[in-house]
Amino acid sequence: MVFMQYGGLLAVRNRRVSILQSNPLWGPRQNLVVPVGMIGTALVAVVNLYGPGLQHVFGTTPIPGMFWGIPFAFALGILTVDETRKLVVRTYPNVSWPPLV
């Protein structure tokens, strides 16, 4: 769940500008808090999943490696769909949705 949210986080940073222009690591819209927060939440998630003491407390079990690709695929899907939407908004800026009749 945490890793799927990364796609949403990177997608909603801007309503019209692509992530290539609003990259959080460099450029005019640099925001180093975003990658630091992503690393921090990933560490919390991994420690909660694989920490032997915390597994007993939270009642979790380790996730097999074959299932790690699913949330990353969904995150990439979320980011791709939103980038496509942004491209359409930039290409047709005067069209309102739903179309007014």
Side-chain angles (χ1 to χ4, degrees), residues 30-49:
Q30 177 183 8
N31 185 357
L32 295 178
V33 176
V34 171
V36 169
M38 290 171 70
I39 292 169
T41 57
L43 288 175
V44 169
V46 169
V47 167
N48 281 335
L49 282 173

Side-chain angles (χ1 to χ4, degrees), residues 9 11 23 35-36 40 42 49 51 54 60-61 64-65 71 80 87 90 95 99-100:
L9 170 68
N23 191 332
V36 169
L49 282 173
L54 293 174
T60 61
T61 58
T80 303
L87 177 66
R90 285 191 310 269
V95 176
L100 301 174

